[in-house]
Amino acid sequence: MRKSIVAIVGRPNVGKSTIFNRLVGERISIVEDVPGVTRDRIYAQAEWLTTEFNLIDTGGIELGDEPLLVQMREQADVAIREADVIIFIVNGREGITAADEEVAKILYKSNKPVVLAVNKTDNPEMRSEIYEFYSLGFGEPYPISGTHGLGLGDMLDKVVSYFPTLETESKDQDTIYFSLIGRPNVGKSSLVNAILQQERVIVSEIAGTTRDAIDTPFTKEEQDFVIIDTAGMRKRGKIYESTERYSILRALKAIERSDVVLTLIDADEGIIEQDKKIAGYAHQAGKAIVIVVNKWDTIESDEKAMKDFEAKVRVHFPFLDYAPIVFLSALTKKRLHTLIPKVLVASENHARRVETNVLNDVVMDAVAMNPTPTSHGRRLKILYTTQVAVKPPAFVVFVNDPELMHFSYERFLENRIRDAFGFEGTPIKIFARRRS
């Protein structure tokens, strides 16, 4: 089931970014007491009572002819269309304003569930004066304080209550879903066409031609696939066309639906910081990953050049040391035949289970090779290990005290498990738990 999407909307300066930061648990949005300071939507994952969802912080909606306000409204309009549930924030200290009523009119047209939150109600007296907000027509208003975290639980209970009504996507378990991600003009659409051997996707030299995720099923060597092409993800500071502002959210949704993610790098331009950020989305989502170096026809593609470029990739992407690297040219189809086999291996390893007794033999051998660490005179004892999940593979190591499991030793165990079982192309997760 895909994660639900929640958009926080409202006119400027009602505290949306403060609430966003509070819900995701860190300062992601810039918070400043100046209307309109949040100019771009910002995305993050949030969680309430074990339910995860994607949260969008928007610039305030305000009607007017100023270019900034027009852009902010466009952003919020799209956030509303993309969202499953909307949190409508108003300012309890100022009461209902004409701008609030205009925002309400926009939300009426969305036909989406709307949870009305009255922010900046920091004391009981203010909470008793929120009843005027019933007139906005969204049912019970929830008094909250983003600054102090008051009332957010009740608000989130209401938000989450709408999630079970969302449609779930049914996927054929025998079909491999994979998406292509990367910055604009890296060659994603050309690679889709090369794989499908047809002009399924418009290819253009203009960055950002592909606006939406496009699903295309195909079969190769008796294996069914669905390939998801996404709009290029471009750094927020470099986004000029309003339609491109929305590509990151759609790409994140495509990643969630994928079993394998192809992270494309432009061999001609080399590796830039944005490539790392884009790859990080897929890694954090726990997806199988294949790194694809495209436009390899523009490079002196001898064995040494390939090894040198691979070394650069490993330096820049240390968190993707498990991901295979494929060098190809979507334009000339050079080395294209090496791609699908790596997708198959990554998908197989992403869903792989290992036998418990064999797993424990590997872990015990690892402990014999490198004894567990001590802290303050106490030694970590590993009692038992079991695999608890796939996609990605996850392992629970039962120990005498999880606090004694240092990150470096956890990494050592991961490497030993990889040495024994492979797991090329997929992240694996290890959790230390106290044996009850």
Side-chain angles (χ1 to χ4, degrees), residues 92-93 118 120-131 143-145 148 150-151:
R93 296 177 183 172
V118 184
K120 306 185 181 181
T121 52
D122 302 316
N123 57 63
E125 291 76 17
M126 297 180 68
R127 287 168 175 257
S128 65
E129 297 176 1
I130 66 170
Y131 296 102
I144 64 170
S145 171
H148 299 101
L150 302 174

Side-chain angles (χ1 to χ4, degrees), residues 113-214:
V114 176
V115 177
L116 176 62
V118 184
N119 192 27
K120 306 185 181 181
T121 52
D122 302 316
N123 57 63
E125 291 76 17
M126 297 180 68
R127 287 168 175 257
S128 65
E129 297 176 1
I130 66 170
Y131 296 102
E132 65 170 305
F133 292 98
Y134 274 99
S135 65
L136 289 173
F138 297 108
E140 179 182 0
Y142 288 82
I144 64 170
S145 171
T147 301
H148 299 101
L150 302 174
L152 296 179
D154 291 339
M155 179 193 75
L156 288 172
D157 284 342
K158 186 63 174 178
V159 170
V160 172
S161 72
Y162 289 112
F163 291 175
T165 64
L166 302 177
E167 295 181 3
T168 59
E169 179 187 16
S170 58
K171 289 174 59 175
D172 184 345
Q173 296 302 310
D174 295 327
T175 299
I176 298 174
Y177 287 70
F178 68 95
S179 59
L180 290 76
I181 64 172
R183 51 193 164 97
N185 216 29
V186 76
K188 296 184 300 298
S189 296
S190 296
L191 183 54
V192 171
N193 290 335
I195 293 171
L196 300 175
Q197 298 182 338
Q198 61 182 357
E199 294 299 312
R200 170 65 178 80
V201 179
I202 297 171
V203 178
S204 170
E205 288 299 316
I206 301 172
T209 303
T210 307
R211 300 297 188 196
D212 295 297
I214 303 168

Side-chain angles (χ1 to χ4, degrees), residues 110-332:
S110 73
N111 292 320
K112 298 288 180 69
V114 176
V115 177
L116 176 62
V118 184
N119 192 27
K120 306 185 181 181
T121 52
D122 302 316
N123 57 63
E125 291 76 17
M126 297 180 68
R127 287 168 175 257
S128 65
E129 297 176 1
I130 66 170
Y131 296 102
E132 65 170 305
F133 292 98
Y134 274 99
S135 65
L136 289 173
F138 297 108
E140 179 182 0
Y142 288 82
I144 64 170
S145 171
T147 301
H148 299 101
L150 302 174
L152 296 179
D154 291 339
M155 179 193 75
L156 288 172
D157 284 342
K158 186 63 174 178
V159 170
V160 172
S161 72
Y162 289 112
F163 291 175
T165 64
L166 302 177
E167 295 181 3
T168 59
E169 179 187 16
S170 58
K171 289 174 59 175
D172 184 345
Q173 296 302 310
D174 295 327
T175 299
I176 298 174
Y177 287 70
F178 68 95
S179 59
L180 290 76
I181 64 172
R183 51 193 164 97
N185 216 29
V186 76
K188 296 184 300 298
S189 296
S190 296
L191 183 54
V192 171
N193 290 335
I195 293 171
L196 300 175
Q197 298 182 338
Q198 61 182 357
E199 294 299 312
R200 170 65 178 80
V201 179
I202 297 171
V203 178
S204 170
E205 288 299 316
I206 301 172
T209 303
T210 307
R211 300 297 188 196
D212 295 297
I214 303 168
D215 287 10
T216 307
F218 71 99
T219 301
K220 190 174 183 66
E221 298 177 2
E222 299 184 354
Q223 172 64 54
D224 293 329
F225 297 88
V226 171
I227 188 169
I228 308 167
D229 183 29
T230 63
M233 290 191 276
R234 177 174 291 186
K235 202 170 185 177
R236 273 196 296 274
K238 298 293 186 181
I239 296 176
Y240 299 105
E241 290 186 72
S242 61
T243 50
E244 284 190 16
R245 297 175 190 269
Y246 319 134
S247 64
I248 291 180
L249 179 60
R250 291 185 174 130
L252 294 177
K253 290 166 70 175
I255 288 171
E256 282 188 12
R257 295 173 49 229
S258 302
D259 300 305
V260 182
V261 175
L262 307 188
T263 300
L264 269 67
I265 298 172
D266 189 322
D268 197 27
E269 295 185 12
I271 301 166
I272 65 171
E273 193 65 29
Q274 184 70 354
D275 291 326
K276 303 176 193 177
K277 184 174 291 187
I278 292 169
Y281 288 130
H283 175 71
Q284 291 170 5
K287 301 300 180 177
I289 297 175
V290 176
I291 299 172
V292 179
V293 182
N294 190 26
K295 306 182 183 180
W296 194 240
D297 57 302
T298 64
I299 307 295
E300 290 185 24
S301 52
D302 58 16
E303 197 69 25
K304 183 179 184 303
M306 193 176 296
K307 288 183 177 179
D308 289 345
F309 201 101
E310 181 172 349
K312 291 180 182 178
V313 171
R314 295 306 183 196
V315 168
H316 286 283
F317 298 87
F319 57 96
L320 295 183
D321 56 355
Y322 56 84
I325 303 173
V326 174
F327 295 83
L328 54 77
S329 168
L331 182 64
T332 66

